[in-house]
């Protein structure tokens, strides 16, 4: 009865005590007529099956990373026919007359595949160095055009050099034959030699070698292990003669199919929790399409501002315009007058220095321009609607209550896409509306927020915004990029924005707008936004991303 492959492997290991998977393969191949059934991959598969993981414990092994070497197509051709130098020398040996260079290239290509001018010049250079050949240029005329041909001929020293070429070719073939048989590199070839002289003939492939030794169950590995115990086995006493497969109490169950939240959604939830714990309430953000009035005009952003151009904003084709009831008529008119002439029209302006000093932009404001529908460029439009509602409540009741509000939702900008910018992204918007507030409060709130996110390294830079004064850009340190990157904007809302809404003169609003994507990139160690959203997103990263607990290791 023929031995099974497992039996033959075990026999080899028992006989040697310690043996590598390559040596097992070589020994087994010696005694078979069908090498295809005994590939190294097959041997390694059986070694794993006989190892400790399945519980057989017939063998023990360690793995070692090694490089294996194989002949390339050029190496196979040299092993079969000799070196390219020898082949060219043989062509010249059989011709008493000079041979045209193109003919030499064609003959060499029959054995070595396409031989280009660079390769041919290298071969000829080696033979020229041995003073075996010489070259001569000849100019011919064909179809009225002058053509230069190069002819190669033998020299007086060709015969002596030919013997040297034959000797070098034989030595090269012996080296290649050794590599083909052992898949190892001969000891006389250094790494530098390999890279310089052999890289086109020999290919290197990293692989794993199993170093196999005897396991504790090598004598009983082929005993059939029972996996079930019946009542009859118990009653008859048969169980006493049965060998049971050990129970693996550490085995994990099959992972059930499940969905996964995107890291952005996890960070959004954590942002929401942090802001809620800081005393903020969330605003409704269901206006993806917004009128220019609420997105720009209420914020005291002039209608000639570059941000309102098509290269920065997505304008709607249908419906292109909002209705004439885009806002209450008195508020609509107040915004227009503020843009054109400042706050001089506000009730009580004659005794209010702030109103008297306001001049507006002194241009003709267009109601039609304010009605253009756009994809909102920031969630500050949401803040404007909420502040207007607060102002109108004060006008109606005379009562003012401080508020802390935030929103997290998508905004759209017609921006150039790069490593940290997309045309669609999430904005975290927040503001505090109350009396006695100033920029110091704003910086403190932002620092507290980012500290809770686990990013305490925050810096500010003065900036300009049409609707805040003073204004600041917010930067957070990105460990992956090893630099500070911009994550948001902030400032104190101008009275030209707040007073037309009906808010009292002594009320200040500090506000900020932050990115959701960039802090998420910092948390996940991502340097390009396309790896977070889009076609380069790694779904395994989404599935394996841990629960988001910002500010905790």
């Amino acid at each position: 009865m023929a031995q099974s492959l497992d039996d033959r492997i075990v026999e080899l290991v028992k006989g040697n005590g310690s043996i590598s998977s390559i040596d097992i393969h070589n020994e087994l191949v010696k005694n078979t007529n069908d090498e295809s059934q005994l590939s190294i991959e097959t041997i390694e598969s059986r070694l794993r099956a006989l190892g400790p993981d399945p519980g057989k414990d017939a063998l023990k092994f360690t793995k070692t990373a090694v490089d294996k070497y194989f002949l390339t197509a050029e190496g196979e051709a040299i092993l079969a026919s000799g070196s390219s130098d020898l082949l060219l020398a043989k062509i010249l040996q059989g011709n008493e007359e000079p041979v045209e260079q193109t003919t030499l290239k064609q003959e060499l290509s029959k054995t070595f595949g396409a031989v280009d001018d660079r390769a041919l010049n290298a071969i000829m250079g080696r033979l020229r160095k041995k003073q075996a050949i010489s070259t001569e240029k000849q100019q011919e005329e064909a179809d009225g055009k002058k053509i230069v041909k190069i002819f190669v001929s033998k020299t007086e020293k060709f015969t002596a050099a030919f013997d040297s070429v034959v000797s070098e070719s034989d030595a090269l073939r012996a080296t290649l034959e050794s590599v083909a048989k052992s898949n190892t590199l001969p000891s006389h070839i250094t790494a530098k030699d390999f890279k310089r002289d052999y890289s086109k003939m020999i290919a290197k492939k990293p692989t794993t070698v199993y170093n196999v030794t005897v396991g504790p169950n090598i004598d009983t590995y082929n005993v059939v292990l029972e996996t079930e115990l019946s009542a009859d086995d118990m009653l008859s006493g048969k169980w006493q003669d049965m060998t049971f497969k050990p129970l693996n109490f550490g085995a994990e169950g099959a992972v059930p199919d499940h969905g996964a939240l995107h890291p952005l959604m996890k960070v959004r939830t954590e942002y929401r929790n942090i802001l809620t714990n800081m005393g903020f309430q969330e605003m409704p953000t269901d206006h993806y399409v917004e009128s220019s009035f609420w997105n720009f005009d209420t914020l005291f952003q002039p209608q000639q501002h570059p941000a309102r151009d098509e290269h920065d904003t997505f304008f709607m084709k249908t419906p292109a315009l909002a209705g004439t009831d885009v806002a209450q008529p008195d508020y609509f008119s107040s915004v227009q007058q503020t843009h054109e002439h400042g706050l001089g029209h506000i009730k009580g302006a004659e005794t209010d220095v702030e109103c008297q000093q306001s001049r507006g932009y002194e241009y003709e404001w267009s109601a039609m321009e304010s009605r253009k529908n756009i994809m909102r460029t920031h969630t500050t439009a949401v803040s404007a609607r909420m502040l207007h509602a607060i102002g109108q409540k004060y006008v109606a009741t005379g009562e003012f209550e401080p508020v802390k509000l935030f929103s997290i939702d998508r905004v759209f900008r017609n921006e150039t896409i790069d490593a940290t910018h997309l045309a669609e992204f999430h904005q975290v918007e927040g503001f505090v509306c109350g009396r006695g507030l100033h920029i110091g409060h704003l910086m403190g709130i932002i620092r507290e927020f980012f500290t809770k996110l686990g990013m305490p390294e925050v810096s500010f830079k003065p900036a300009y915004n049409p609707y805040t004064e003073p204004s600041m850009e917010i930067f957070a340190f990105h460990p992956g990029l090893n630099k500070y990157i911009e994550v948001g904007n902030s400032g104190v809302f101008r009275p030209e924005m707040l007073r037309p809404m009906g808010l009292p003169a002594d009320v200040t609003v500090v506000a900020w707008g932050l990115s959701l994507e960039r802090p998420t990139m910092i948390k996940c160690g991502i340097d390009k936004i396309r790896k977070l959203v889009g076609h380069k997103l790694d779904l395994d990263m989404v599935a394996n991303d841990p629960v988001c607990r910002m500010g905790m290791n």
Side-chain angles (χ1 to χ4, degrees):
M1 183 177 177
Q3 282 184 305
S4 69
L5 179 58
D6 287 359
D7 291 341
R8 292 157 67 192
I9 292 174
V10 168
E11 188 176 287
L12 278 172
V13 177
K14 290 176 69 175
N16 290 272
S18 176
I19 187 171
S20 73
S21 54
I22 293 177
D23 291 336
I24 293 175
H25 174 258
N26 293 337
E27 288 295 325
L28 293 176
V29 166
K30 290 180 183 178
N31 303 311
T32 183
N33 296 323
D34 187 3
E35 292 188 21
S36 63
Q37 299 297 318
L38 286 175
S39 67
I40 189 67
E41 290 78 12
T42 301
I43 301 298
E44 291 173 353
S45 173
R46 296 318 307 157
L47 289 174
R48 290 192 293 271
L50 292 166
D53 283 349
K56 287 194 173 183
D57 264 342
L59 304 175
K60 294 190 296 184
F61 53 78
T62 58
K63 298 178 183 180
T64 305
V66 298
D67 291 325
K68 293 183 70 174
Y69 296 85
F70 303 87
L71 297 188
T72 63
E74 181 176 333
E76 296 282 1
I78 293 173
L79 182 60
S81 306
S83 69
S84 55
D85 295 16
L86 178 61
L87 184 56
L88 189 144
K90 285 182 177 181
I91 297 170
L92 294 174
Q93 187 183 44
N95 288 273
E96 295 302 324
E97 298 296 326
V99 181
E100 207 267 310
Q101 184 171 295
T102 304
T103 303
L104 291 175
K105 188 161 61 173
Q106 292 172 348
E107 290 298 320
L108 289 173
S109 297
K110 293 177 181 178
T111 301
F112 296 103
V115 176
D116 57 19
D117 290 337
R118 183 177 180 181
L120 179 61
N121 289 334
I123 298 169
M124 291 171 54
R126 291 191 291 270
L127 293 178
R128 194 181 292 113
K129 191 174 182 180
K130 295 178 183 293
Q131 299 181 348
I133 63 171
S134 62
T135 57
E136 179 184 357
K137 293 182 179 179
Q138 295 184 13
Q139 188 170 291
E140 300 179 1
E141 191 168 322
D143 298 329
K145 296 181 179 180
K146 292 182 179 180
I147 301 174
V148 176
K149 293 185 177 181
I150 300 175
F151 288 85
V152 183
S153 57
K154 298 176 287 187
T155 66
E156 294 178 354
K157 297 184 179 181
F158 177 82
T159 301
F162 184 83
D163 293 337
S164 173
V165 173
V166 171
S167 177
E168 290 174 358
S169 176
D170 290 343
L172 178 59
R173 291 178 68 191
T175 297
L176 296 179
E177 185 176 11
S178 172
V179 172
K181 288 182 177 180
S182 66
N183 296 123
T184 59
L185 205 62
S187 58
H188 70 273
I189 300 179
T190 65
K192 185 177 180 180
D193 293 337
F194 175 78
K195 185 176 181 180
R196 183 187 63 222
D197 302 326
Y198 295 94
S199 58
K200 291 186 178 180
M201 296 174 273
I202 303 172
K204 180 171 70 172
K205 179 182 178 183
T207 188
T208 301
V209 173
Y210 288 68
N211 302 302
V212 190
T213 57
V214 173
N217 298 334
I218 195 164
D219 293 321
T220 59
Y221 75 95
N222 53 359
V223 174
V224 177
L225 300 178
E226 302 291 344
T227 58
E228 294 182 359
L229 178 64
S230 67
D232 291 339
D233 295 334
M234 294 287 290
L235 293 172
S236 65
K238 182 181 175 181
W239 65 273
Q240 299 180 50
D241 299 321
M242 297 168 65
T243 303
F244 294 95
K245 181 178 180 180
L247 294 175
N248 182 4
F249 293 103
E252 297 181 355
V255 178
D257 292 334
H258 61 91
L261 289 174
H262 192 281
L264 271 176
M265 300 301 100
K266 294 179 181 179
V267 174
R268 183 182 68 177
T269 300
E270 191 67 7
Y271 272 27
R272 183 178 285 120
N273 292 338
I274 290 173
L275 287 167
T276 301
N277 289 335
M278 289 174 65
F280 287 81
Q281 294 179 304
E282 189 165 6
M283 297 181 278
T285 57
D286 52 353
H287 286 82
Y288 285 170
V289 176
E290 189 60 272
S291 67
S292 294
F293 178 81
W294 286 105
N295 196 85
F296 296 122
D297 293 308
T298 63
L299 307 183
F300 196 55
Q301 189 159 327
Q303 294 183 337
Q304 298 85 4
H305 194 277
R308 301 179 70 152
D309 293 342
E310 288 186 359
H311 64 268
D312 280 329
T313 302
F314 292 110
F315 286 85
M316 297 293 294
K317 288 185 177 180
T318 306
L321 298 175
T324 55
D325 57 347
V326 66
Q328 297 171 356
D330 56 343
Y331 179 52
F332 192 83
S333 174
S334 182
V335 169
Q336 176 180 355
Q337 293 180 64
T338 303
H339 275 251
E340 292 180 346
H341 309 297
L343 295 174
H345 67 284
I346 297 295
K347 184 178 180 181
E350 59 277 359
T351 59
D352 191 321
V353 176
E354 193 174 63
C355 292
Q356 292 176 4
Q357 292 177 343
S358 177
R359 293 290 181 268
Y361 293 114
E362 299 182 347
Y363 72 101
E364 187 175 345
W365 187 81
S366 170
M368 188 63 69
E369 180 71 24
S370 73
R371 289 174 54 202
K372 289 182 178 179
N373 283 327
I374 63 169
M375 300 294 290
R376 69 180 178 203
T377 61
H378 47 201
T379 51
T380 315
V382 176
S383 299
R385 288 181 179 271
M386 295 300 296
L387 287 169
H388 177 256
I390 295 169
Q392 293 305 296
K393 179 180 178 182
Y394 173 76
V395 171
T397 64
E399 296 179 359
F400 171 77
E401 294 181 4
V403 293
K404 299 165 71 175
L405 299 175
F406 79 95
S407 64
I408 307 176
D409 212 338
R410 282 181 287 178
V411 297
F412 311 87
R413 293 184 189 173
N414 193 3
E415 291 190 347
T416 301
I417 296 175
D418 59 25
T420 57
H421 292 84
L422 288 179
E424 175 184 345
F425 57 96
H426 290 78
Q427 186 174 12
V428 184
E429 174 99 8
F431 69 82
V432 180
C433 179
R435 290 185 167 96
L437 299 175
H438 52 73
I439 196 168
H441 294 101
L442 176 61
M443 295 173 73
I445 293 170
I446 293 172
R447 286 190 185 279
E448 181 183 359
F449 176 74
F450 274 95
T451 299
K452 290 179 179 292
L453 289 180
M455 290 182 282
E457 296 184 65
V458 179
S459 64
F460 302 92
K461 186 176 79 172
Y464 168 75
N465 284 317
Y467 46 90
T468 57
E469 179 59 39
S471 306
M472 302 180 298
E473 291 178 345
I474 308 168
F475 294 81
F477 186 75
H478 190 311
L481 298 176
N482 196 32
K483 66 178 183 179
Y484 282 88
I485 64 171
E486 183 184 353
V487 293
N489 225 315
S490 64
V492 181
F493 281 143
R494 292 180 59 147
E496 284 88 352
M497 173 184 168
L498 303 179
R499 298 297 294 278
M501 293 176 173
L503 288 167
D506 60 344
V507 167
T508 306
V509 179
V510 295
W512 66 93
L514 309 174
S515 164
L516 183 65
E517 279 77 3
R518 293 184 195 174
T520 305
M521 290 168 64
I522 295 174
K523 171 188 172 292
C524 297
I526 295 173
D527 58 351
K528 292 181 176 60
I529 200 166
R530 293 181 184 89
K531 295 179 181 178
L532 181 66
V533 290
H535 65 287
K536 291 189 177 181
L537 173 66
D538 183 356
L539 294 179
D540 287 335
M541 183 273 288
V542 174
N544 298 323
D545 187 55
V547 173
C548 180
R549 296 292 293 158
M550 306 299 280
M552 298 178 65
N553 293 326

